[in-house]
Every structure is written in C-alpha cells, then in structure tokens.
Amino acid sequence: DAGVIQSPRHEVTEMGQEVTLRCKPISGHNSLFWYRQTMMRGLELLIYFNNNVPIDDSGMPEDRFSAKMPNASFSTLKIQPSEPRDSAVYFCASSSGRLNEKLFFGSGTQLSVL
Amino acid sequence: GNSVTQMEGPVTLSEEAFLTINCTYTATGYPSLFWYVQYPGEGLQLLLKATKADDKGSNKGFEATYRKETTSFHLEKGSVQVSDSAVYFCALSLLSGGYNKLIFGAGTRLAVHP
C-alpha cells in the first residue's frame, strides 16, 4: 500500500484566496483525521471522520475552514478565504479498528499564505 | 483538562550517547500512552506504546515505561545514532466523545552528531 497520500506537498497562495488540501487514506481504514502543525501551537486535531461521517469538528478554527469526506478514499480540507495565520503544515492521518491508536500520517501539505 | 507536556528541545547529542526525553501527562481516566517520531519531511509514525501502568513499550532500541504514580512516560535509548535525528512526540489516547482521541505534546527535536 502507498500509505496516506496528501496533495499538494507545498501550497503558496495570497491572502483571501481559497485553498483546498486533499487526502487519500489507506485503503480499508475507516477513520480519518486532519491535523495542523505550527511552531506556536504544536499538533492540533482539526476534525475526525469515522466511516465518512464527521464525528468531532471541535478543533476547526472557524467558519473559514470546512472538511468533507465524500467517500472512503478521499477527503478535502478547504480554507476560504485564507489568511496569513493559516500558514502551517496540514497533516492527514488514517487508522483502522475501534481504538484509533495507531495513526498513519501522510507527508503533509506545507501551506504558506502571503 | 487532558494534556501532555514534553521537555523543550532541541536536544543535541553525540553519537552513542544516552538519550532521555521527558514526558508527563494529565488525564482523567486511564489513558494509553505513545511515542511518535517525525523524520524530516515526513509525517509522524508510531514508535512505541504502553496501554496500562508499569507496561514498557519498546522498539528500535527505544524504551518508555508507563509510570502512573508520577504520570510520566519518559523516552530512553542507550546509544543514539545519527539516523535517530528527528522530532519525537509524546501522546495520550483517551475515550472522548465516543471515540479514542489522541492528544499530542509539543514535540522535542533531537539532533545527533557524529
């Protein structure tokens, strides 16, 4: 298996633009997580999906952020409009089973909002 | 609330030195504890885990013991290598909102020099 695949690896955009990050989880995994990593705040959980249904979105910063999982093999995280403070590395992770203890992370998307 | 506190980095060591990275936690209930490692340019990957008090997790020469009395899970390795240079994250897993939620510490960067 290729692991969790994220795209793009790097994204540079201007303030106010829409940004869409993409994730393909490992086949057969039923849980998907979006995390944001910054120097100041470390690794923050943004949203958790189980069987394509959002279970916990309490970490989504504000209405500018939205996430979807239309099927078991694809998820998106959208920021509209983007702001400089959204600059971070965004990770997608997936896991299988009930315990969600072993997460498999993608390589991340480095987002820079100018 | 539930949280994980790690020693601040960077930790800089010479090859074959002994490594300790401190981790303490605050949790309601009985969490499972983990160490994840992030190599440059990659996502996090599970290094080791322990699910109950006095359990010792081990992998690739790294060890950590779940100490309930001191709420700690310190990571140790007897002889580090240059290839161990990475960021190490301590984490706990607790049942929250009907699912197991992973809460990460801020991460500790380790740099090993020849």
Side-chain angles (χ1 to χ4, degrees):
Chain A
D1 198 313
V4 176
I5 299 173
Q6 291 187 245
S7 64
R9 283 300 303 270
H10 303 274
E11 177 80 34
V12 180
T13 190
E14 292 186 347
M15 182 173 63
Q17 295 299 305
E18 178 180 296
V19 175
T20 299
L21 311 181
R22 297 174 175 79
C23 175
K24 176 178 168 53
I26 292 173
S27 177
H29 283 190
N30 60 345
S31 293
L32 184 139
F33 304 80
W34 281 100
Y35 284 88
R36 178 172 67 177
Q37 185 180 39
T38 61
M39 290 290 290
M40 292 296 294
R41 302 172 69 95
L43 203 61
E44 303 172 276
L45 175 64
L46 300 177
I47 188 168
Y48 160 58
F49 290 89
N50 183 257
N51 292 325
N52 313 337
V53 176
I55 303 299
D56 182 358
D57 65 354
S58 59
M60 295 287 264
E62 48 198 274
D63 291 345
R64 297 185 298 108
F65 284 69
S66 62
K68 294 182 180 179
M69 193 165 186
N71 57 62
S73 59
F74 184 64
S75 177
T76 60
L77 178 68
K78 186 176 294 186
I79 309 172
Q80 166 63 19
S82 58
E83 297 182 2
R85 61 192 169 120
D86 301 330
S87 298
V89 180
Y90 290 82
F91 287 104
C92 175
S94 70
S95 70
S96 62
R98 183 175 58 85
L99 294 180
N100 291 329
E101 291 185 339
K102 186 172 183 178
L103 268 57
F104 293 80
F105 281 77
S107 298
T109 295
Q110 174 80 58
L111 174 64
S112 298
V113 183
L114 306 178
Chain B
N2 303 309
S3 65
V4 176
T5 302
Q6 295 181 230
M7 64 188 287
E8 284 193 27
V11 174
T12 303
L13 296 173
S14 298
E15 208 164 23
E16 299 183 4
F18 184 85
L19 168 71
T20 299
I21 300 178
N22 290 338
C23 170
T24 57
Y25 67 90
T26 302
T28 53
Y30 304 95
S32 294
L33 301 175
F34 307 83
W35 279 99
Y36 275 75
V37 58
Q38 183 181 25
Y39 297 105
E42 300 182 10
L44 282 71
Q45 54 185 278
L46 179 64
L47 179 60
L48 54 84
K49 73 174 188 179
T51 56
K52 61 182 187 298
D54 300 325
D55 268 3
K56 177 185 284 188
S58 62
N59 186 25
K60 300 181 181 179
F62 291 89
E63 293 183 339
T65 301
Y66 191 142
R67 300 287 188 199
K68 187 178 177 183
E69 63 276 12
T70 54
T71 61
S72 65
F73 193 55
H74 304 321
L75 182 68
E76 297 181 336
K77 186 174 185 183
S79 176
V80 293
Q81 306 301 311
V82 172
S83 57
D84 294 326
S85 299
V87 181
Y88 292 82
F89 291 86
C90 186
L92 65 83
S93 173
L94 270 181
L95 194 61
S96 172
Y99 75 101
N100 273 333
K101 187 172 185 177
L102 267 181
I103 297 170
F104 288 91
T108 302
R109 183 176 299 277
L110 170 66
V112 181
H113 299 291

